[in-house]
Amino acid sequence: MDSIIKKICAGDVRSASRLIRDIEDKIPEARAKIKRLYSHTGKSFIIGITGAPGAGKSTLTDALITELRKSNKTIGVLAVDPTSPFTGGAILGDRIRMQSHAEDRGVFVRSLATRGALGGLSQAAGDAIHIMEAMGKDIVIVETVGIGQQEIDIINHAHSVLVILVPGMGDEVQTMKAGLMEIADIFVINKANRAGAKQLQMELTSMLNLSSKSAEGWKPPVVMVGDAFKPETFTENIVKLSKKIEEHHIYLQQSGKLTERMHRKAMAEINDTLHACLLEPVIKSLAAGGELEKFAEKIKNRKADPYSVAEEIAQRFFKKENEK
Amino acid sequence: MYFSREMQEASLKLSRKWEDNVQKSLKNNPDQKARFTTVSDKEIRRLYTPEDIKDINFAEEIGVPGEFPYLRGNQVTGYRGRYWTFRMFSGMGSAQDTNNRWQMLLREGQTGLSTAFDFPTLMGYDSDSPKALGEVGKCGVAIDTLEDFLALMEGIPMDEVTTSMTINPPATVLLAMYCAAADIKGVPLSKIGGTIQNDMLKEFIAQKTFMCPPEPSVKLISDTVEFCTKSVPRWNTISVSGYHIREAGSTAIQELAFTLRDGIEYVEDVIRRKGLNVDEFAPRLSFFFNSHIDFFEEICKMRAARRMWAKIMRDRFHAKDPRSLWLRFHTQTAGCSLTAQQPYNNVIRTTVEALAAVLGGTQSLHTNSLDEVLCLPSEHAVEIALRTQQILAEETGVANTIDPLGGSYFIEALTNEIEEAAWDYIHKIDDLGGMIAAIEKGFPQMEISEAAYRFQQQLDAGEKTMVGVNKYATNSTHPLPLVDIDEKVSEEQIKRLKDVRRKRDNKAVKKSLDDIRGACKKGDNVMPCCIDAVKNLATLQEICDVYREVYGEYKDPGLY
Amino acid sequence: MPERKIRVMVAKPGLDGHDRGARVLARCFRDAGFEVVYTGCHQTPEQIAAAAIQEDVDLVGLSCLSGAHRILFPRVVELLREKDADDITVIGGGIIPEQDFTMLYDSGIKAIFTPGSSLDSIVEWIKKNINPTSAEFL
Ligand SMILES: Nc1nc2c(ncn2[C@@H]2O[C@H](COP(=O)(O)OP(=O)(O)OP(=O)(O)O)[C@@H](O)[C@H]2O)c(=O)[nH]1
Ligand SMILES: [Mg+2]
């Protein structure tokens, strides 16, 4: 086993963070490392946190860390923020809310930029989770971007998905639209001291009663989290929330749903890696030779159709692979 | 504005002629720049004429000093009876060091004291807290207990000199120390006067010296207002501050609007929470503005501020007492306009800014020292800064007449434009549900960030000039003698603190801290318990820790 | 070799909250195409060093206006060194009198930018001096 793998498995933060960086930068050698790391993964409980920008995802993550640390669980956090499509740069602002845990050795917070990914996470997120698992984190919390549209990548990675809503933001409709209704295992109404919280709770509950999900044995609970600025009640509510998360974990284990989710996750991983390992190199090599442009030109001028082009490419590339 | 139709026509004809001439002239002599703007990036026209102020109703909108809308000043006699207060902000090292500087300033003709505290004190930490590492006595005086405070006030006649304290989250504690010190010196509370800055909203917006969340922070402020209204009638309870908003990079309009809107928030809270009548406490509210480098914009901002506050108090709060309608304000020249490069140029900048403040009608003024961008001001630099004010007051004649620029086409037009833009902001914040709600949404923070970033980009692109920085830069340096705070200050301060902790009655301390905790939980006024606690030698941090425990700790929400 | 993205952290050690410069810098770094982690105000050197390592940044920019830089800046460098992370470049800015430069350079601060340094000059410096390495070379 090479030393970096050893170090990561021993929980070394620096090695872990560096490898995550290599994955983000698509350094080819990094994949080999993940291959070797893979047998050490799959043991953490993974919590996804999603919701509109500013809903309080990071604030809740921070509070959850505090709560979970009371029982000495080790925690990894991946916080994803958007990359600017114009400059390629990003301001990673989630960490700021979790800085009070910076010195706690049991907590590892790593920020990721989306780098063009649209599903609320980044391409590297999956492997970053693997790396945190290999480090032996009991729990990995993944905070999504929160752009509010296609925030569905998270179900392929997390065991429990928390959807954060805030009263008075027209969230209910947004929730339905974004398909968040289907992905939520637990709803959190944050800033519940604001007007409209009770109503939001009622609407959600009645929507949930109609949804098919409740028939499966787990009806997503709606947890009200009061004002983050009122220490006593806030802590109480966070305790409640973390209990619900635990209940959900137990439910997943006992109902066999956990294996189901692990299976779903494996399927997604095959899908993602096929994309990364087969499609991306093909496209890259075509683009490098200028062929991609030529194919596009042909299709544009109706000299060829996209299916034939795809077949031609497939023949060429994948035959080669077979012959080898 | 016009006295007759004929006059207007003649004037318009002349203006048109001038415009034609401009067009002709531009062909051969083009302008140096495409846009002519203030430092806040507000566009200024080439010429202002009677047309620009034709709709102004003199009696209602300009008026005379001492009458609504107070555009031209609160005082009927202007500066003839009394100049503005020359108030130099100072504080350094230990209480003893600062007391020495104060004695010097009073000897040199300063008329009021103004305290700078070090960062641990400002943030509610004791000098031996790990958070205080490297900071003790650096940017101001370190105060941990009443003993330090008594050393600070040694030999200062508390019934004659007023003291301003730039203190925010722990304002209750410092006010309590001031009251306790007066008590010990035998000066009745009715005789002491001074100011605590006590403006938390601008901390959330701009300066980031915060401790508890906005809601309870405002509650503590209302406690001090109530307490002073009843027991310390000469105390200025809140100094609603735009200075720091501006230093954080806002425009003049943002500074004006956010400051006045903060003022509204405080007034509303005191009325709602304490049930006081507006005229009982509003006369003791004061304001604090920045005087930046753009001369006319600053004058107009200050004039607009007076008129707007008068309208706010009259129309929004139905105040009756004229003193409630007065916007009294302190001014500090802009720290952010000074440059570390060619530092002697800072004297010129400060002079221009101070002049703007005087023409804007300030009641009190701090002029920055030329070395303030580099370190704490040296005694010599402070003296030049103080002399700058004295020269303006006593040599230049600018204080001879009230509001000398009033009636200028440009000044009145710009005053109106600034006021209008500021109202837009105020209404926007009203729509967001008030300042606390706006802060939670990051609205003012975001606006300021934008403005600050825009300015920096304009500076980098050479569209804005800072002499010695992005133009006329030289390599030759004229090194300044810099003031340095010895790390010994910290050691000695920590030793003093430990001695106090050892010798005091710890049971009594615990009891008085419990009393504060009880008052916080019940929503009672904390001031009486605070005074007891400081008398028992509870430390600043011990009291602030109670606040943090009950109210929660506010952390930097980060970027906007 | 794929192009490596530069990651930087902007941090404010100490108790002063004057974060205008820090915030302007963070935005400028984003616009320069860097990934920027901002820690917020009121950070201890310990928090900053820990965060820098967890985030695997190439560079930490410290901003301090309170005069505490002489103690706080070297402390950050020292902590990084203790954790075998002295390949993370540390630069500083804020109100830093020239007489302190030597002492800071000696302590391991690689560059100092005072008010008046143009944003471009800072970005240029970073692009020239920062060369992200891979985990291979650890
Ligand atoms: N009043 C109130 N404010 C809250 C509460 N929770 C969070 N906030 C504030 O809401 C703002 C956004 O909180 P974050 O935790 O950063 O939200 P987020 O969902 O992580 O935001 P992004 O990552 O930017 O999408 C911050 O200013 C918080 O202080 C709450 O319960 N009550
Ligand atoms: Mg967040």
Side-chain angles (χ1 to χ4, degrees), chain A residues 57-58 81 93-94 97 143:
Chain A
K57 298 182 290 296
S58 308
D81 266 320
D94 295 321
R97 309 230 187 290
E143 177 185 336

Side-chain angles (χ1 to χ4, degrees), chain A residues 136-323:
Chain A
K137 298 293 172 207
D138 297 318
I139 293 173
V140 176
I141 303 179
V142 183
E143 177 185 336
T144 73
V145 174
I147 301 298
Q149 267 132 38
Q150 296 287 316
E151 292 273 307
I152 42 177
D153 271 1
I154 190 67
I155 51 166
N156 291 331
H157 293 286
H159 300 127
S160 278
V161 175
L162 274 56
V163 171
I164 320 290
L165 303 171
V166 179
M169 279 176 45
D171 267 353
E172 318 82 75
V173 190
Q174 286 295 328
T175 315
M176 301 291 285
K177 259 202 229 159
L180 288 178
M181 206 66 198
E182 282 72 34
I183 72 168
D185 297 307
I186 295 169
F187 281 100
V188 180
I189 299 185
N190 192 31
K191 313 190 189 182
N193 52 316
R194 291 199 183 163
K198 273 266 161 306
Q199 196 189 340
L200 178 56
Q201 186 188 24
M202 267 158 49
E203 282 173 36
L204 257 181
T205 316
S206 65
M207 274 199 272
L208 285 167
N209 286 337
L210 296 174
S211 105
S212 55
K213 224 174 169 178
S214 19
E216 291 174 25
W218 176 263
K219 188 177 148 210
V222 180
V223 183
M224 308 283 271
V225 174
D227 194 341
F229 294 146
K230 296 254 157 63
E232 275 171 33
T233 52
F234 187 66
T235 311
E236 251 168 57
N237 291 327
I238 293 298
V239 172
K240 252 184 247 160
L241 177 60
S242 86
K243 286 223 176 85
K244 285 289 172 209
I245 296 173
E246 204 181 323
E247 275 172 34
H248 185 240
H249 191 181
I250 293 170
Y251 157 78
L252 287 176
Q253 285 168 326
Q254 291 179 345
S255 64
K257 288 268 184 236
L258 192 61
T259 2
E260 227 172 79
R261 290 208 177 185
M262 303 283 258
H263 186 77
R264 184 173 72 190
K265 189 169 165 172
M267 292 292 278
E269 280 182 57
I270 295 180
N271 194 359
D272 289 350
T273 36
L274 276 179
H275 220 275
C277 299
L278 295 183
L279 212 48
E280 270 179 30
V282 168
I283 292 176
K284 226 175 171 175
S285 114
L286 288 174
E291 270 184 291
L292 201 60
E293 282 298 313
K294 278 187 207 144
F295 281 129
E297 202 57 29
K298 272 194 192 164
I299 293 173
K300 188 179 84 187
N301 298 330
R302 299 297 183 270
K303 297 228 167 79
D305 67 279
Y307 287 106
S308 310
V309 168
E311 276 161 17
E312 189 189 326
I313 296 171
Q315 283 242 325
R316 216 165 75 212
F317 277 85
F318 298 123
K319 246 223 191 102
K320 254 196 260 165
E321 290 291 307
N322 284 343
E323 279 161 9

